[in-house]
Amino acid sequence: MRVLRLDRCHPLAGGNKWFKLCLLLQRARAQGHRRLLSFGGPWSNHLHALAGLGAAAGFETVGVVRGEATAEPTATLRDCAARGMALVHVSRGDYRRRHDAAFQRALLDRHGPAALIPEGGDCVEGARGCLPVGRAIAGACPEGATVVVPAGTGTTLAGMAAALGPGYSLLGISALKGALDTDDRVRRNLAALGGGAGADWRIVHDAHEGGFARVSAPLREFQQWAEIALGLPLDPVYTAKALLALWRMLARGDIDRERPVVFVHTGGLQGRRGFAWLADGAG
Ligand SMILES: *Cc1c(COP(=O)(O)O)cnc(C)c1O
């Protein structure tokens, strides 16, 4: 197994978020925006990356956070605030309206003018930013490969699929339970990119270990083992879950061992602080 360490690609935003955000930040600047507004949960890797990359690029940032503010903010939100992000907490009910045009307009009236960046960078520009991830794999494994990548919105997978031609099998391990619309999102982003016609990709929906950010006992044991045995730091929400799924598929013989296998480490390590059972976790 080869590991593509996106977690090491950028000091402020290790992982796939840098790829997803780079073109969105460029576009915001080209449109004359000085402020960026986006959405995320209290442990969001996306808001964390946006706060860091936005500040480094000279933008003001606004993070619309799911759920009311708590007396003790999460380590993620503390970092966001330290990087200058203005945090706007909304109820879980309001947060569900984040894709709704009227709700977005009201947020921009209050906290704009700003470039609105979809949650998780899920749009064609976000996917386009991930083309280099696919190209890097094609360059490193010209003979073809099975590629495993953690998936949330599937934006990263869509960009990779558009860059990988026939000869590559791309498996996205969904971190969510029952998010069957992810496949449609991938198809939409792929169509908008105008690529990936011959790409062989699939989202695996049964490796969520209980649901988003849920940690089963086998997942926890696997992560603790893998970090020591492979020397690979992981996060329980995305990367450990996907690697466990890959391990099980290899054990079952579901993956051709004659071809190279590439695991894409999408980062998310800042989120480890949300898990008390990890050495650096604060609970
Ligand atoms: C956000 C995130 C993902 C999900 O990426 P999508 O493009 O939404 O599929 C995967 N892994 C990590 C570590 C992430 O932070």
Side-chain angles (χ1 to χ4, degrees):
M1 179 185 73
R2 304 183 198 183
V3 182
L4 179 59
R5 298 280 309 262
L6 300 185
D7 61 309
R8 287 192 171 160
C9 279
H10 197 287
L12 284 173
N16 60 345
K17 299 301 184 281
W18 179 77
F19 292 90
K20 291 205 281 183
L21 287 170
C22 56
L23 298 180
L24 286 165
L25 264 59
Q26 265 178 33
R27 187 178 64 183
R29 179 176 319 238
Q31 292 173 339
H33 282 293
R34 305 189 54 184
R35 187 177 292 175
L36 310 169
L37 180 143
S38 195
F39 307 87
W43 292 101
S44 167
N45 295 326
H46 168 72
L47 286 184
H48 197 261
L50 187 73
L53 296 173
F59 287 101
E60 296 173 356
T61 56
V62 180
V64 179
V65 184
R66 183 189 68 234
E68 306 301 345
T70 48
E72 190 60 37
T74 63
T76 303
L77 293 182
R78 273 202 304 276
D79 285 353
C80 288
R83 292 166 167 190
M85 180 175 263
L87 299 172
V88 178
H89 286 266
V90 299
S91 69
R92 284 170 171 269
D94 278 349
Y95 193 81
R96 272 184 225 112
R97 297 172 57 212
R98 64 196 177 281
H99 303 300
D100 174 304
F103 182 64
Q104 293 182 349
R105 220 168 313 114
L107 283 170
L108 288 176
D109 282 347
R110 262 193 93 165
H111 307 287
L116 191 138
I117 296 191
E119 182 190 46
D122 178 17
C123 60
V124 62
E125 286 312 302
R128 198 190 308 279
C130 298
L131 287 169
V133 180
R135 292 200 193 108
I137 293 169
C141 305
E143 69 278 37
T146 302
V147 182
V148 172
V149 62
T153 61
T155 312
T156 306
L157 179 138
M160 292 171 62
L164 288 170
Y168 298 87
S169 303
L170 189 51
L171 293 172
I173 312 300
S174 180
L176 297 98
K177 182 174 173 177
L180 299 176
D181 61 328
T182 310
D183 298 67
D184 285 333
R185 292 164 181 258
V186 172
R187 273 188 280 273
R188 213 163 39 231
N189 280 327
L190 265 177
L193 279 177
D200 164 21
W201 63 271
R202 182 163 68 88
I203 304 275
V204 175
H205 287 286
D206 61 1
H208 52 71
E209 295 298 306
F212 187 69
R214 297 288 172 83
V215 181
S216 65
L219 174 63
R220 181 167 157 166
E221 266 168 45
F222 174 79
Q223 180 171 342
Q224 285 168 333
W225 169 81
E227 291 191 347
I228 294 168
L230 308 176
L232 195 62
L234 297 164
D235 83 298
V237 180
Y238 291 104
T239 52
K241 227 170 240 193
L243 190 59
L244 172 59
L246 168 58
W247 236 242
R248 286 178 171 157
M249 289 188 282
L250 283 168
R252 285 197 301 261
D254 290 352
I255 287 181
D256 180 359
R257 282 173 175 271
E258 300 302 312
R259 292 168 94 198
V261 175
V262 179
F263 178 73
V264 182
H265 192 313
T266 45
L269 297 178
Q270 69 85 23
R272 290 168 57 94
R273 297 174 296 177
F275 296 89
W277 53 274
L278 287 165
D280 50 351

